[in-house]
PDB file of all heavy atoms in Angstrom:
ATOM      1  N   VAL Z 192      14.287  -4.338  -5.505  1.00  0.00           N
ATOM      2  CA  VAL Z 192      14.519  -4.820  -4.134  1.00  0.00           C
ATOM      3  C   VAL Z 192      13.982  -3.830  -3.112  1.00  0.00           C
ATOM      4  O   VAL Z 192      13.388  -4.219  -2.097  1.00  0.00           O
ATOM      5  CB  VAL Z 192      16.016  -5.084  -3.912  1.00  0.00           C
ATOM      6  CG1 VAL Z 192      16.309  -5.363  -2.443  1.00  0.00           C
ATOM      7  CG2 VAL Z 192      16.496  -6.250  -4.781  1.00  0.00           C
ATOM      8  N   ASN Z 193      14.152  -2.538  -3.371  1.00  0.00           N
ATOM      9  CA  ASN Z 193      13.833  -1.522  -2.365  1.00  0.00           C
ATOM     10  C   ASN Z 193      12.400  -1.006  -2.425  1.00  0.00           C
ATOM     11  O   ASN Z 193      11.879  -0.536  -1.401  1.00  0.00           O
ATOM     12  CB  ASN Z 193      14.790  -0.334  -2.515  1.00  0.00           C
ATOM     13  CG  ASN Z 193      16.206  -0.683  -2.105  1.00  0.00           C
ATOM     14  OD1 ASN Z 193      16.428  -1.282  -1.062  1.00  0.00           O
ATOM     15  ND2 ASN Z 193      17.168  -0.327  -2.947  1.00  0.00           N
ATOM     16  N   TYR Z 194      11.745  -1.094  -3.602  1.00  0.00           N
ATOM     17  CA  TYR Z 194      10.427  -0.473  -3.723  1.00  0.00           C
ATOM     18  C   TYR Z 194       9.331  -1.405  -4.221  1.00  0.00           C
ATOM     19  O   TYR Z 194       8.156  -1.091  -4.059  1.00  0.00           O
ATOM     20  CB  TYR Z 194      10.507   0.756  -4.650  1.00  0.00           C
ATOM     21  CG  TYR Z 194      11.409   1.816  -4.105  1.00  0.00           C
ATOM     22  CD1 TYR Z 194      12.701   1.981  -4.610  1.00  0.00           C
ATOM     23  CD2 TYR Z 194      11.011   2.631  -3.049  1.00  0.00           C
ATOM     24  CE1 TYR Z 194      13.555   2.938  -4.089  1.00  0.00           C
ATOM     25  CE2 TYR Z 194      11.851   3.594  -2.513  1.00  0.00           C
ATOM     26  CZ  TYR Z 194      13.130   3.738  -3.042  1.00  0.00           C
ATOM     27  OH  TYR Z 194      13.967   4.681  -2.511  1.00  0.00           O
ATOM     28  N   ILE Z 195       9.679  -2.527  -4.824  1.00  0.00           N
ATOM     29  CA  ILE Z 195       8.662  -3.477  -5.269  1.00  0.00           C
ATOM     30  C   ILE Z 195       8.460  -4.573  -4.219  1.00  0.00           C
ATOM     31  O   ILE Z 195       7.347  -4.754  -3.708  1.00  0.00           O
ATOM     32  CB  ILE Z 195       9.027  -4.092  -6.640  1.00  0.00           C
ATOM     33  CG1 ILE Z 195       9.167  -2.995  -7.703  1.00  0.00           C
ATOM     34  CG2 ILE Z 195       7.967  -5.117  -7.051  1.00  0.00           C
ATOM     35  CD1 ILE Z 195       7.901  -2.220  -7.986  1.00  0.00           C
ATOM     36  N   CYS Z 196       9.524  -5.292  -3.880  1.00  0.00           N
ATOM     37  CA  CYS Z 196       9.389  -6.412  -2.940  1.00  0.00           C
ATOM     38  C   CYS Z 196       8.765  -6.018  -1.597  1.00  0.00           C
ATOM     39  O   CYS Z 196       7.906  -6.746  -1.083  1.00  0.00           O
ATOM     40  CB  CYS Z 196      10.747  -7.076  -2.717  1.00  0.00           C
ATOM     41  SG  CYS Z 196      11.358  -7.985  -4.158  1.00  0.00           S
ATOM     42  N   PRO Z 197       9.171  -4.885  -0.977  1.00  0.00           N
ATOM     43  CA  PRO Z 197       8.599  -4.555   0.336  1.00  0.00           C
ATOM     44  C   PRO Z 197       7.083  -4.362   0.324  1.00  0.00           C
ATOM     45  O   PRO Z 197       6.439  -4.470   1.376  1.00  0.00           O
ATOM     46  CB  PRO Z 197       9.313  -3.244   0.712  1.00  0.00           C
ATOM     47  CG  PRO Z 197      10.608  -3.290  -0.029  1.00  0.00           C
ATOM     48  CD  PRO Z 197      10.267  -3.952  -1.336  1.00  0.00           C
ATOM     49  N   GLN Z 198       6.493  -4.089  -0.826  1.00  0.00           N
ATOM     50  CA  GLN Z 198       5.046  -3.886  -0.875  1.00  0.00           C
ATOM     51  C   GLN Z 198       4.271  -5.124  -0.434  1.00  0.00           C
ATOM     52  O   GLN Z 198       3.177  -5.016   0.124  1.00  0.00           O
ATOM     53  CB  GLN Z 198       4.612  -3.525  -2.296  1.00  0.00           C
ATOM     54  CG  GLN Z 198       5.116  -2.184  -2.789  1.00  0.00           C
ATOM     55  CD  GLN Z 198       4.525  -1.855  -4.135  1.00  0.00           C
ATOM     56  OE1 GLN Z 198       3.393  -1.377  -4.232  1.00  0.00           O
ATOM     57  NE2 GLN Z 198       5.285  -2.103  -5.185  1.00  0.00           N
ATOM     58  N   PHE Z 199       4.853  -6.305  -0.670  1.00  0.00           N
ATOM     59  CA  PHE Z 199       4.101  -7.530  -0.437  1.00  0.00           C
ATOM     60  C   PHE Z 199       4.018  -7.900   1.043  1.00  0.00           C
ATOM     61  O   PHE Z 199       3.364  -8.880   1.399  1.00  0.00           O
ATOM     62  CB  PHE Z 199       4.697  -8.656  -1.285  1.00  0.00           C
ATOM     63  CG  PHE Z 199       4.754  -8.303  -2.747  1.00  0.00           C
ATOM     64  CD1 PHE Z 199       5.960  -8.258  -3.421  1.00  0.00           C
ATOM     65  CD2 PHE Z 199       3.604  -7.953  -3.434  1.00  0.00           C
ATOM     66  CE1 PHE Z 199       6.023  -7.899  -4.752  1.00  0.00           C
ATOM     67  CE2 PHE Z 199       3.648  -7.592  -4.763  1.00  0.00           C
ATOM     68  CZ  PHE Z 199       4.869  -7.566  -5.435  1.00  0.00           C
ATOM     69  N   THR Z 200       4.650  -7.103   1.900  1.00  0.00           N
ATOM     70  CA  THR Z 200       4.423  -7.232   3.340  1.00  0.00           C
ATOM     71  C   THR Z 200       3.222  -6.391   3.780  1.00  0.00           C
ATOM     72  O   THR Z 200       2.744  -6.554   4.901  1.00  0.00           O
ATOM     73  CB  THR Z 200       5.661  -6.793   4.141  1.00  0.00           C
ATOM     74  OG1 THR Z 200       5.932  -5.402   3.889  1.00  0.00           O
ATOM     75  CG2 THR Z 200       6.886  -7.618   3.743  1.00  0.00           C
ATOM     76  N   HIS Z 201       2.744  -5.506   2.919  1.00  0.00           N
ATOM     77  CA  HIS Z 201       1.620  -4.629   3.253  1.00  0.00           C
ATOM     78  C   HIS Z 201       0.311  -5.087   2.616  1.00  0.00           C
ATOM     79  O   HIS Z 201      -0.753  -4.567   2.968  1.00  0.00           O
ATOM     80  CB  HIS Z 201       1.906  -3.193   2.798  1.00  0.00           C
ATOM     81  CG  HIS Z 201       3.169  -2.615   3.339  1.00  0.00           C
ATOM     82  ND1 HIS Z 201       3.369  -2.389   4.684  1.00  0.00           N
ATOM     83  CD2 HIS Z 201       4.318  -2.223   2.722  1.00  0.00           C
ATOM     84  CE1 HIS Z 201       4.578  -1.879   4.878  1.00  0.00           C
ATOM     85  NE2 HIS Z 201       5.169  -1.776   3.704  1.00  0.00           N
ATOM     86  N   THR Z 202       0.359  -6.035   1.693  1.00  0.00           N
ATOM     87  CA  THR Z 202      -0.845  -6.482   1.001  1.00  0.00           C
ATOM     88  C   THR Z 202      -1.722  -7.337   1.908  1.00  0.00           C
ATOM     89  O   THR Z 202      -1.247  -7.960   2.863  1.00  0.00           O
ATOM     90  CB  THR Z 202      -0.461  -7.277  -0.254  1.00  0.00           C
ATOM     91  OG1 THR Z 202       0.554  -8.227   0.094  1.00  0.00           O
ATOM     92  CG2 THR Z 202       0.070  -6.364  -1.335  1.00  0.00           C
ATOM     93  N   HIS Z 203      -3.017  -7.374   1.589  1.00  0.00           N
ATOM     94  CA  HIS Z 203      -3.951  -8.227   2.327  1.00  0.00           C
ATOM     95  C   HIS Z 203      -3.919  -9.666   1.813  1.00  0.00           C
ATOM     96  O   HIS Z 203      -4.129 -10.602   2.575  1.00  0.00           O
ATOM     97  CB  HIS Z 203      -5.374  -7.666   2.202  1.00  0.00           C
ATOM     98  CG  HIS Z 203      -5.500  -6.260   2.706  1.00  0.00           C
ATOM     99  ND1 HIS Z 203      -5.925  -5.212   1.921  1.00  0.00           N
ATOM    100  CD2 HIS Z 203      -5.236  -5.725   3.917  1.00  0.00           C
ATOM    101  CE1 HIS Z 203      -5.937  -4.094   2.629  1.00  0.00           C
ATOM    102  NE2 HIS Z 203      -5.516  -4.385   3.846  1.00  0.00           N
ATOM    103  N   VAL Z 204      -3.686  -9.814   0.505  1.00  0.00           N
ATOM    104  CA  VAL Z 204      -3.619 -11.139  -0.124  1.00  0.00           C
ATOM    105  C   VAL Z 204      -2.493 -11.123  -1.143  1.00  0.00           C
ATOM    106  O   VAL Z 204      -2.358 -10.146  -1.895  1.00  0.00           O
ATOM    107  CB  VAL Z 204      -4.937 -11.513  -0.844  1.00  0.00           C
ATOM    108  CG1 VAL Z 204      -4.872 -12.952  -1.355  1.00  0.00           C
ATOM    109  CG2 VAL Z 204      -6.134 -11.313   0.048  1.00  0.00           C
ATOM    110  N   ASN Z 205      -1.683 -12.182  -1.164  1.00  0.00           N
ATOM    111  CA  ASN Z 205      -0.685 -12.352  -2.216  1.00  0.00           C
ATOM    112  C   ASN Z 205      -0.964 -13.637  -2.975  1.00  0.00           C
ATOM    113  O   ASN Z 205      -1.255 -14.679  -2.368  1.00  0.00           O
ATOM    114  CB  ASN Z 205       0.732 -12.429  -1.633  1.00  0.00           C
ATOM    115  CG  ASN Z 205       1.258 -11.079  -1.197  1.00  0.00           C
ATOM    116  OD1 ASN Z 205       0.859 -10.039  -1.713  1.00  0.00           O
ATOM    117  ND2 ASN Z 205       2.180 -11.080  -0.250  1.00  0.00           N
ATOM    118  N   PHE Z 206      -0.873 -13.561  -4.295  1.00  0.00           N
ATOM    119  CA  PHE Z 206      -0.955 -14.732  -5.153  1.00  0.00           C
ATOM    120  C   PHE Z 206       0.414 -14.963  -5.772  1.00  0.00           C
ATOM    121  O   PHE Z 206       0.904 -14.106  -6.526  1.00  0.00           O
ATOM    122  CB  PHE Z 206      -1.998 -14.523  -6.255  1.00  0.00           C
ATOM    123  CG  PHE Z 206      -3.410 -14.449  -5.751  1.00  0.00           C
ATOM    124  CD1 PHE Z 206      -3.992 -13.240  -5.431  1.00  0.00           C
ATOM    125  CD2 PHE Z 206      -4.151 -15.610  -5.579  1.00  0.00           C
ATOM    126  CE1 PHE Z 206      -5.289 -13.163  -4.966  1.00  0.00           C
ATOM    127  CE2 PHE Z 206      -5.465 -15.552  -5.103  1.00  0.00           C
ATOM    128  CZ  PHE Z 206      -6.032 -14.331  -4.799  1.00  0.00           C
ATOM    129  N   GLN Z 207       1.012 -16.088  -5.438  1.00  0.00           N
ATOM    130  CA  GLN Z 207       2.332 -16.407  -5.972  1.00  0.00           C
ATOM    131  C   GLN Z 207       2.246 -17.664  -6.831  1.00  0.00           C
ATOM    132  O   GLN Z 207       1.970 -18.756  -6.329  1.00  0.00           O
ATOM    133  CB  GLN Z 207       3.356 -16.609  -4.859  1.00  0.00           C
ATOM    134  CG  GLN Z 207       4.770 -16.830  -5.397  1.00  0.00           C
ATOM    135  CD  GLN Z 207       5.818 -16.787  -4.315  1.00  0.00           C
ATOM    136  OE1 GLN Z 207       5.661 -17.422  -3.275  1.00  0.00           O
ATOM    137  NE2 GLN Z 207       6.886 -16.042  -4.544  1.00  0.00           N
ATOM    138  N   ARG Z 208       2.460 -17.492  -8.117  1.00  0.00           N
ATOM    139  CA  ARG Z 208       2.428 -18.612  -9.048  1.00  0.00           C
ATOM    140  C   ARG Z 208       3.788 -19.299  -9.085  1.00  0.00           C
ATOM    141  O   ARG Z 208       4.820 -18.629  -9.249  1.00  0.00           O
ATOM    142  CB  ARG Z 208       2.033 -18.134 -10.440  1.00  0.00           C
ATOM    143  CG  ARG Z 208       1.868 -19.257 -11.458  1.00  0.00           C
ATOM    144  CD  ARG Z 208       1.433 -18.695 -12.789  1.00  0.00           C
ATOM    145  NE  ARG Z 208       1.533 -19.708 -13.831  1.00  0.00           N
ATOM    146  CZ  ARG Z 208       1.531 -19.447 -15.118  1.00  0.00           C
ATOM    147  NH1 ARG Z 208       1.429 -18.196 -15.537  1.00  0.00           N
ATOM    148  NH2 ARG Z 208       1.623 -20.414 -16.015  1.00  0.00           N
ATOM    149  N   ILE Z 209       3.779 -20.619  -8.942  1.00  0.00           N
ATOM    150  CA  ILE Z 209       5.020 -21.393  -8.913  1.00  0.00           C
ATOM    151  C   ILE Z 209       4.962 -22.443 -10.018  1.00  0.00           C
ATOM    152  O   ILE Z 209       4.098 -23.326  -9.998  1.00  0.00           O
ATOM    153  CB  ILE Z 209       5.208 -22.081  -7.549  1.00  0.00           C
ATOM    154  CG1 ILE Z 209       5.249 -21.030  -6.433  1.00  0.00           C
ATOM    155  CG2 ILE Z 209       6.473 -22.930  -7.537  1.00  0.00           C
ATOM    156  CD1 ILE Z 209       5.284 -21.619  -5.051  1.00  0.00           C
TER     157      ILE Z 209
END
Side-chain angles (χ1 to χ4, degrees):
V192 171
N193 290 313
Y194 297 102
I195 301 297
C196 290
Q198 293 186 81
F199 305 119
T200 62
H201 304 296
T202 47
H203 302 121
V204 186
N205 284 333
F206 293 92
Q207 185 170 48
R208 184 178 169 197
I209 301 174

